[in-house]
Amino acid sequence: MKNAVLLFVVLICLAFTVYANGQTPKAADETANAGAQISREEIAFTLESPLEIPGASLLPGKYLLRREQKSGHPIIQIFKGDGNTLVNTVIAIPVELQTAPDNSMIAIYETEDGAPPALRALFFGGDPVGIEFVYPSERAKTLAKQSGQTVITAKNATSPNPSAEPTPEQLRTMREEVVMVITPDGQSVSMPLRGKPTEGESDIER
């Protein structure tokens, strides 16, 4: 079994360059809706090598990540560089480091030989709270087995129609989705309370 190590790598080392010098993304806007605060963040990045995300594969090029936090799970949308062409809408889980990293960092899953790595989590420079991505069940099982790491999964981990904006009902379902953890041996277990791993520490133990 491969060593279950959470790979923290400065994004530029993976040819993943965040605009604005990798600084912490600022909220684009925050509004109150029915008494609940909505926080939206946006960050542009460039890929120079392929990268898998839940439900899709990103080819080299420019992309835009939009994150919305209302209630429930954060909603992440990935657009092509023009900001108009939607690649996919996915859910994520907040994950926290003990200290904020100086630079934006990425965690990946090892995949089959010759295939691009799969995105596990993103951390932005100056912000100790990152996002860990949730994968559909079958892909989560494969990633867990190949990488030797646990993978977060959910029935509605991604939008049913990747290229279309989800409906309010679909977004509500995604935010309220029950998430589980797939172990390397294929077991599905409840997601326990999460600790605070340090930078470079081995796998987020679950």
Side-chain angles (χ1 to χ4, degrees), residues 10 34 48 58 86 107 114 117 132 142-143 147 149 162 197:
V10 177
E48 295 180 2
L58 302 182
L86 181 62
E132 186 164 359
T142 300
L143 285 175
S147 66
Q149 300 181 47

Side-chain angles (χ1 to χ4, degrees), residues 18-74:
V18 177
Y19 291 4
N21 298 318
Q23 295 177 354
T24 304
K26 296 182 179 180
D29 61 274
E30 293 185 353
T31 59
N33 182 9
Q37 187 101 350
I38 302 176
S39 175
R40 295 185 180 92
E41 295 177 332
E42 186 174 285
I43 188 166
F45 63 94
T46 299
L47 279 180
E48 295 180 2
S49 58
L51 182 69
E52 179 184 346
I53 63 171
S57 292
L58 302 182
L59 298 175
K62 294 183 178 181
Y63 295 91
L64 192 68
L65 182 151
R66 291 176 182 163
R67 171 172 58 172
E68 178 181 296
Q69 179 71 59
K70 181 181 179 182
S71 59
H73 307 309

Side-chain angles (χ1 to χ4, degrees), residues 7-198:
L7 300 177
F8 286 109
V9 184
V10 177
L11 294 180
I12 196 170
C13 294
L14 281 182
F16 188 111
T17 305
V18 177
Y19 291 4
N21 298 318
Q23 295 177 354
T24 304
K26 296 182 179 180
D29 61 274
E30 293 185 353
T31 59
N33 182 9
Q37 187 101 350
I38 302 176
S39 175
R40 295 185 180 92
E41 295 177 332
E42 186 174 285
I43 188 166
F45 63 94
T46 299
L47 279 180
E48 295 180 2
S49 58
L51 182 69
E52 179 184 346
I53 63 171
S57 292
L58 302 182
L59 298 175
K62 294 183 178 181
Y63 295 91
L64 192 68
L65 182 151
R66 291 176 182 163
R67 171 172 58 172
E68 178 181 296
Q69 179 71 59
K70 181 181 179 182
S71 59
H73 307 309
I75 297 294
I76 310 298
Q77 290 190 303
I78 305 292
F79 293 83
K80 291 185 178 179
D82 59 8
N84 297 316
T85 304
L86 181 62
V87 177
N88 210 349
T89 301
V90 304
I91 59 175
I93 301 296
V95 59
E96 187 174 358
L97 299 175
Q98 289 183 345
T99 58
D102 293 331
N103 299 299
S104 296
M105 310 185 86
I106 188 173
I108 59 173
Y109 296 109
E110 295 182 52
T111 57
E112 57 269 25
D113 292 341
L119 181 61
R120 177 172 181 173
L122 288 176
F123 293 90
F124 301 101
D127 189 349
V129 181
I131 49 175
E132 186 164 359
F133 290 82
V134 180
Y135 280 80
S137 178
E138 290 305 312
R139 186 55 180 155
K141 290 178 182 178
T142 300
L143 285 175
K145 182 177 180 180
Q146 291 174 342
S147 66
Q149 300 181 47
T150 56
V151 181
I152 302 177
T153 186
K155 180 180 178 181
N156 295 290
T158 64
S159 173
N161 186 350
S163 62
E165 283 283 350
T167 66
E169 180 59 34
Q170 288 169 342
L171 287 174
R172 184 161 47 251
T173 298
M174 294 175 71
R175 289 192 185 100
E176 298 173 355
E177 185 61 85
V178 175
V179 296
M180 302 290 288
V181 174
I182 299 293
T183 63
D185 62 0
Q187 298 297 310
S188 179
V189 298
S190 298
M191 190 170 172
L193 295 176
R194 305 162 71 84
K196 295 183 179 180
T198 58

